[in-house]
Amino acid sequence: MYTPPKMERFDRNVLSKYNVYNSVFLTLPFDDIYNTGALLPLFTEVCEKGFSQNESPEQIVGFFASKYMDNPSEQDRIDLMFRFIQYVERQIVLFDAIEDAAFADVNNLEGKGSMREVRDAADAEDVRNKLKDFLDDFKIRTVLTAHPTQFYPGSVLGIITDLTEAIRTDNLYEIKKLLSQLGKTPFIKKEKPTPYDEAVSLIWYLENVFYETCGDIVNFICRNIYQGDKIGGPILSLGFWPGGDRDGNPFVTTEITHKVAERLRIAILKCYYKDMRRLRRKITFSKVDQMVADLETKIYKSAFSPDGELFLSADEFKSSLIEIRKIITSEHQSLYVEDVDSLLNKINVFGFYFASLDIRQNSHIHNSVIETISKKDSEIPNDYKDLSEEKRMEIAGNIKVENQKSDLDDEIANQTLDSMRAMKEIQQKNGELASNRYIISNNESALNVLETLAMFKLSGWENPNVDIVPLFEAVEDLKRSEDVMEELYTNPEYLAHLKRRGNTQTVMLGFSDGTKDGGYLMANWGIFKAKEAITAVSRKYDIKVIFFDGRGGPPARGGGKTHKFYASLGSDIENREIQLTIQGQTISSNFGTKDSCRYNLENLLSAGINNMVFEKGKNDLSADDKKLLDELSEFGYKKYSAFKNHEKFLPFLQEMSALKYYSMLNIGSRPAKRNKGDKLNFGDLRAIPFVGAWSMLKVNIPGFFGVGTALKAFEENGNWDKIQELFDRSLFFRTLLENSMMSLAKSFFPLTNYIQDDPEFGPFWKLVKDEYEETKRLLLKIAGHETLMENYPDGKASIAVREHIVLPLLVIQQYSLQRINEIQKNENPDENLIAVYEKLVTRSLFGNTNAARNSA
């Protein structure tokens, strides 16, 4: 049977359908809908023509108004731009739904990267036992975070889900009704979501996507790879940050943490109850029918108990199902035994907690908590902060259990200790895996880890069942990470803690702040080297190390073709688990439907398997390779550091980008920066608004700046052949540069071309443009391509359609920023008019962010 190429499948199932269903908007019975829908394509055309002639957004809007509007006032222009934004927002939703509906048609779910391919390859190479041994000790953990990069209201998410299904079945009548509903439904929340709101939004994905998908994947592995043999571990697990991530978010309280943990427990019990209902309809045989009925009743009462009472534990639930399975197997010819196995597999993955709730706090907060405690009567002396680090390590390591009450006259100190007590209470009710990891952001030393362990003891928890996870992000912290870990591994008190935790240490490495701090090449290569060094020192002390990557979504934050990075790591990096954060719109785009979720989870699984089973050692880098990458990253780092330290760097972001408007968006509960002052401090600037601000300018600095300079250095010193050979051979290096190409493909300099004439920022803008052009030239040269992303035509086409849809929003945003700057220069600026244009900026920012899917 003929299978059309991927690009042909994209054209047929996505692009053609979008063109058809997009026209339906014009037939909807709304005021001004036809006029808006008729004018929008004209505006888009004017934008494209204007940019081809190097016109500014202000010139483009002015020309459009003079040609297509009847002597409009400024208010008339503003009103039309708001209508354009509302229209485009709904076009974005339509395109998302069409792509989601067509996912299985465009992507081969049984092809490369699938577990079917893994099974067939294992059989072909006769390594099934080797594969099973590996899977016994291997696991994928995707950790959902609510970083503010996409936050549709629940009502809109529901419409997207229904619209996707209607498009999948080509139900035009239903599509039209849903588009009408979409037209009447607000996209913007009037108030910022609370951390609990964010949790509820993401739990929807757990219930409606991950529950069935994870179960299906594990079922396939059990039946087709293990074939009746006992599986060694759960293989898949989920993590969760909303309600537990305190770093820079004052709105996450102990009460919120408890509420989120309870919501997670209730959500998984309700999922189990639905499965038990289906099981009861099937298992109607003697001896087991009543057992199933009793189990269903207990699950129902546990799921819907008003006071949260549990009528059975996870172990009791599991043992009852195992007993039912034994009877069915021995007395009823194994009828429906696969349904029982399916539920047992889900219990192994989700327990009674659904996803492990991680707690995270910044080491700088811990410092102030320790200082506060030292002022009270405790084992920490008053002059603690003035002591040497060696002495503080000794004191922290020898802290005895002391139930320090929440009366420290400092709210943050009380909340920090309360969060540790909350973990213990959640474990007691939902099981240890419900909340058993405490992550230290901005971890700079072994002392940070020992002080955290000391705080657990001061909260009254002796021998805490908690993994303390240092997070290394900044370039210098990554370089020191090996020494920090060795210091911990040789510390008697911490070693005793590790022994209680099975001699297992999780280390988190964050791409976001690493890229912000050191640039694209240094962040990615620095993390790779840190992993190798930490692996070596962990093996030296016989510690099983697990790496947890704060990857996010776009290449600038460690995303892009994520599974290719994991497949490329080589044998010098421990690969027992793949753990990574999934943020914002990456959740909806990569894991928002059962098809896309299965595809991306299986790709991650196969990446780990290929690296350690089929291609073990094939992706290892030689000493010469590493020297080349050291030199490249150093060139890139110097270029980026000089750029970051440029006197116009922060002023440009403040005055020419939409950076400050991120804090005005009601899409996330967390502030845009860590400090409360008005002055912008680079260190306090969060990675998401930082990356997002560049993205909204269509200048994806964090994903490419310094790459061109580094490559050019090799072109000029006569060593181009060396990096060309490395690119052709190394999956790691090739993926690194291909992801940078994606950042370039999402850049569009004509949008900000007008800045080159600005007396203050023109030279700075040109510096950025020159690096972009050089990076583009050399990436095309090393890849042997004529255009960016040439080897990913469907991805390139998807980006092109999205960029075309949001072009009006980008122009409106830049036009509004220009107008704000102009009005502010007046002797008596019109504050009301400024407020209106600021609203245009935030509304267009919201639509642009959602459309880009992995832009921030």
Side-chain angles (χ1 to χ4, degrees):
M1 181 179 175
Y2 170 70
T3 302
K6 199 171 186 180
M7 191 61 223
E8 187 179 324
R9 301 199 300 271
F10 178 85
D11 286 343
R12 180 190 302 170
N13 295 287
V14 178
L15 196 54
S16 297
K17 285 189 176 183
Y18 175 72
N19 290 331
V20 171
Y21 294 140
N22 187 40
S23 64
V24 174
F25 279 115
L26 295 174
T27 68
L28 300 180
F30 300 138
D31 294 341
D32 291 321
I33 187 76
Y34 184 83
N35 188 41
T36 304
L39 287 174
L40 182 59
L42 296 173
F43 182 59
T44 304
E45 186 179 325
V46 168
C47 292
E48 291 173 340
K49 188 174 180 181
F51 285 134
S52 71
Q53 297 173 354
N54 291 324
E55 293 179 354
S56 71
E58 196 166 23
Q59 290 172 314
I60 288 169
V61 172
F63 175 80
F64 176 82
S66 66
K67 185 170 183 179
Y68 294 106
M69 299 178 74
D70 185 15
N71 194 26
S73 65
E74 184 158 21
Q75 188 59 49
D76 291 334
R77 292 188 188 192
I78 289 170
D79 289 343
L80 181 60
M81 285 189 285
F82 273 118
R83 294 205 304 273
F84 279 164
I85 291 171
Q86 291 173 325
Y87 199 101
V88 172
E89 283 175 338
R90 284 150 181 83
Q91 287 182 311
I92 293 164
V93 167
L94 175 62
F95 189 73
D96 282 350
I98 290 171
E99 275 207 312
D100 288 344
F103 191 90
D105 295 315
V106 174
N107 299 279
N108 184 1
L109 300 186
E110 312 298 331
K112 188 170 179 58
S114 71
M115 293 312 296
R116 281 86 184 152
E117 187 221 19
V118 168
R119 176 200 61 190
D120 294 344
D123 288 344
E125 298 185 28
D126 196 23
V127 291
R128 182 178 290 239
N129 287 334
K130 183 180 178 182
L131 174 60
K132 287 193 291 186
D133 289 342
F134 175 74
L135 288 174
D136 280 344
D137 196 33
F138 181 68
K139 186 164 64 176
I140 298 292
R141 180 190 289 225
T142 51
V143 181
L144 307 190
T145 76
H147 291 341
T149 54
Q150 182 185 66
F151 202 83
Y152 281 126
S155 53
V156 175
L157 285 174
I159 295 170
I160 293 173
T161 302
D162 295 340
L163 186 58
T164 300
E165 186 55 38
I167 290 169
R168 190 177 281 121
T169 57
D170 282 322
N171 187 336
L172 187 57
Y173 175 73
E174 189 65 23
I175 290 168
K176 193 167 183 177
K177 282 205 307 181
L178 287 164
L179 291 179
S180 296
Q181 183 186 353
L182 198 62
K184 296 270 187 188
T185 304
F187 273 46
I188 305 296
K189 289 200 168 190
K190 293 182 179 178
E191 297 180 352
K192 288 176 75 71
T194 67
Y196 184 70
D197 293 332
E198 291 172 330
V200 170
S201 178
L202 293 191
I203 288 171
W204 184 92
Y205 290 101
L206 297 183
E207 295 173 304
N208 293 280
V209 181
F210 283 93
Y211 180 71
E212 292 295 342
T213 305
C214 291
D216 288 345
I217 292 172
V218 177
N219 288 343
F220 179 88
I221 292 170
C222 287
R223 293 168 190 166
N224 294 276
I225 294 176
Y226 280 82
Q227 295 181 319
D229 293 341
K230 184 176 173 58
I231 193 167
I235 296 180
L236 297 173
S237 68
L238 301 175
F240 205 76
W241 275 19
D245 183 7
R246 286 170 159 70
D247 182 15
N249 193 339
F251 308 112
V252 177
T253 63
T254 305
E255 180 186 6
I256 290 284
T257 301
H258 279 295
K259 279 183 68 177
V260 170
E262 183 70 1
R263 182 72 180 238
L264 286 164
R265 183 183 64 82
I266 290 171
I268 188 60
L269 289 174
K270 287 180 177 178
C271 289
Y272 290 153
Y273 171 63
K274 289 177 185 176
D275 275 355
M276 284 304 304
R277 286 186 65 186
R278 287 191 284 266
L279 207 56
R280 187 177 177 184
R281 288 175 65 88
K282 293 179 177 181
I283 299 178
T284 53
F285 332 129
S286 61
K287 288 180 76 172
V288 286
D289 54 345
Q290 191 57 48
M291 292 173 69
V292 171
D294 291 344
L295 204 51
E296 180 200 9
T297 300
K298 288 179 181 178
I299 287 293
Y300 174 84
K301 289 167 71 176
S302 298
F304 297 98
S305 170
D307 56 3
E309 184 181 355
L310 278 173
F311 291 83
L312 80 169
S313 67
D315 287 340
E316 289 168 342
F317 186 28
K318 192 173 175 180
S319 61
S320 295
L321 284 171
I322 290 171
E323 185 60 31
I324 288 167
R325 188 189 191 283
K326 285 179 182 176
I327 296 172
I328 291 173
T329 303
S330 62
E331 299 182 25
H332 299 289
Q333 293 75 48
S334 298
L335 191 57
Y336 296 125
V337 74
E338 66 275 7
D339 295 273
V340 179
D341 286 340
S342 177
L343 186 49
L344 280 166
N345 286 334
K346 288 173 180 174
I347 297 169
N348 286 334
V349 173
F350 305 116
F352 269 22
Y353 53 88
F354 219 149
S356 297
L357 183 60
D358 289 343
I359 307 297
R360 183 171 78 132
Q361 185 54 281
N362 197 290
S363 66
H364 294 166
I365 296 294
H366 288 175
N367 294 340
S368 67
V369 173
I370 292 291
E371 187 176 346
T372 299
I373 294 172
S374 72
K375 294 173 183 176
K376 306 283 283 186
D377 289 334
S378 72
E379 296 180 69
I380 301 179
N382 262 325
D383 61 347
Y384 177 81
K385 70 173 184 176
D386 300 320
L387 300 174
S388 67
E389 183 164 322
E390 183 181 358
K391 185 62 179 174
R392 282 181 285 164
M393 290 266 291
E394 182 185 339
I395 292 170
N398 289 305
I399 290 289
K400 300 294 187 292
V401 177
E402 175 186 331
N403 195 2
Q404 180 73 58
K405 301 298 182 184
S406 300
D407 58 355
L408 295 172
D409 301 322
D410 183 279
E411 184 180 354
I412 292 179
N414 289 332
Q415 283 278 350
T416 302
L417 293 180
D418 281 346
S419 70
M420 295 173 172
R421 295 187 187 98
M423 294 179 74
K424 186 176 185 179
E425 291 161 9
I426 291 167
Q427 286 190 15
Q428 288 169 345
K429 186 164 190 178
N430 297 0
E432 181 184 320
L433 295 178
S435 183
N436 70 333
R437 302 204 307 185
Y438 193 103
I439 299 159
I440 311 167
S441 298
N442 198 39
N443 196 96
E444 298 171 330
S445 66
L447 178 61
N448 291 153
V449 177
L450 282 178
E451 285 179 339
T452 303
L453 183 57
M455 284 189 287
F456 270 100
K457 293 180 180 179
L458 290 172
S459 74
W461 196 350
E462 186 174 10
N463 300 332
N465 298 322
V466 173
D467 295 323
I468 298 174
V469 183
L471 166 53
F472 302 104
E473 296 180 270
V475 170
E476 290 305 314
D477 292 339
L478 288 168
K479 289 178 179 177
R480 286 196 300 266
S481 60
E482 175 188 10
D483 294 335
V484 169
M485 298 315 299
E486 183 157 31
E487 198 170 354
L488 288 170
Y489 294 158
T490 55
N491 180 279
E493 288 76 21
Y494 192 71
L495 204 55
H497 170 73
L498 278 184
K499 190 173 182 180
R500 292 191 295 271
R501 301 302 296 158
N503 282 332
T504 300
Q505 173 67 54
T506 301
V507 176
M508 188 173 181
L509 300 157
F511 285 79
S512 303
D513 283 322
T515 307
K516 180 171 77 81
D517 180 48
Y520 182 74
L521 286 175
M522 180 59 80
N524 280 279
W525 181 234
I527 286 170
F528 186 99
K529 289 201 299 181
K531 283 186 176 181
E532 282 199 331
I534 294 171
T535 296
V537 75
S538 298
R539 288 173 178 172
K540 175 182 174 182
Y541 291 97
D542 200 24
I543 302 295
K544 174 185 173 182
V545 69
I546 295 168
F547 292 112
F548 174 26
D549 290 320
R551 278 192 166 270
R557 300 190 67 239
K561 301 292 182 182
T562 302
H563 60 280
K564 284 196 169 185
F565 265 119
Y566 286 115
S568 72
L569 292 181
S571 58
D572 291 333
I573 291 177
E574 204 66 79
N575 192 34
R576 297 169 188 265
E577 292 192 20
I578 290 177
Q579 298 191 9
L580 71 164
T581 55
I582 309 294
Q583 68 162 54
Q585 70 269 75
T586 309
I587 297 172
S588 58
S589 62
N590 289 2
F591 300 90
T593 67
K594 291 176 183 177
D595 286 338
S596 63
C597 185
R598 175 191 144 193
Y599 179 85
N600 285 292
L601 285 177
E602 289 194 2
N603 265 267
L604 285 173
L605 276 167
S606 69
I609 292 167
N610 284 332
N611 190 27
M612 299 304 290
V613 176
F614 298 121
E615 298 181 4
K616 188 170 184 178
K618 290 183 181 179
N619 291 310
D620 288 357
L621 295 168
S622 69
D624 287 341
D625 295 338
K626 292 174 184 178
K627 185 180 177 183
L628 272 179
L629 288 164
D630 276 335
E631 291 176 29
L632 269 169
S633 62
E634 202 57 48
F635 280 124
Y637 181 53
K638 286 178 181 176
K639 179 71 173 179
Y640 178 80
S641 296
F643 175 67
K644 185 180 70 173
N645 294 323
H646 193 288
E647 61 178 357
K648 295 301 178 185
F649 185 89
L650 288 178
F652 182 87
L653 278 176
Q654 281 184 299
E655 296 182 36
M656 306 305 287
S657 81
L659 177 68
K660 66 182 179 182
Y661 297 97
Y662 268 85
S663 61
M664 300 180 186
L665 292 176
N666 293 326
I667 62 172
S669 68
R670 206 163 60 160
K673 56 192 181 78
R674 288 183 171 90
N675 67 345
K676 295 181 180 179
D678 293 330
K679 185 178 179 181
L680 181 62
N681 180 293
F682 185 81
D684 290 324
L685 181 59
R686 289 197 171 280
I688 289 172
F690 173 75
V691 173
W694 289 113
S695 175
M696 291 303 105
L697 287 166
K698 306 310 292 178
V699 180
N700 291 310
I701 287 293
F704 76 80
F705 200 90
V707 175
T709 294
L711 293 174
K712 186 178 180 182
F714 277 76
E715 185 183 50
E716 291 180 341
N717 67 15
N719 287 319
W720 180 264
D721 288 348
K722 291 182 179 179
I723 58 168
Q724 182 68 65
E725 191 273 335
L726 182 63
F727 178 87
D728 295 338
R729 172 173 50 80
S730 166
L731 181 59
F732 171 78
F733 188 47
R734 190 162 60 251
T735 303
L736 184 70
L737 296 191
E738 285 181 349
N739 277 345
S740 189
M741 287 187 208
M742 186 189 296
S743 292
L744 293 179
K746 292 185 177 183
S747 296
F748 183 66
F749 275 83
L751 178 68
T752 55
N753 200 50
Y754 70 94
I755 299 177
Q756 68 180 319
D757 298 322
D758 185 275
E760 181 180 0
F761 294 113
F764 182 81
W765 180 90
K766 189 174 185 308
L767 187 152
V768 174
K769 176 75 181 309
D770 289 346
E771 182 66 14
Y772 165 83
E773 293 292 354
E774 198 68 343
T775 304
K776 180 180 177 181
R777 178 181 74 83
L778 290 166
L779 285 179
L780 291 176
K781 177 180 177 179
I782 201 167
H785 293 168
E786 295 293 324
T787 58
L788 295 168
M789 294 184 67
E790 194 175 293
N791 52 334
Y792 297 107
D794 58 313
K796 180 180 178 181
S798 176
I799 290 171
V801 175
R802 289 179 181 278
E803 297 298 318
H804 180 78
I805 293 171
V806 301
L807 185 61
L809 299 192
L810 294 166
V811 172
I812 289 169
Q813 185 177 97
Q814 283 298 307
Y815 169 76
S816 300
L817 288 169
Q818 283 185 277
R819 288 291 293 130
I820 290 168
N821 287 336
E822 287 174 0
I823 297 167
Q824 286 175 336
K825 291 174 183 176
N826 294 337
E827 189 174 339
N828 295 303
D830 186 337
E831 297 297 335
N832 291 329
L833 190 56
I834 289 174
V836 171
Y837 278 113
E838 286 185 332
K839 188 175 181 182
L840 274 172
V841 173
T842 56
R843 285 298 306 277
S844 55
L845 177 59
F846 184 90
N848 285 329
T849 303
N850 282 332
R853 282 207 159 183
N854 68 349
S855 63

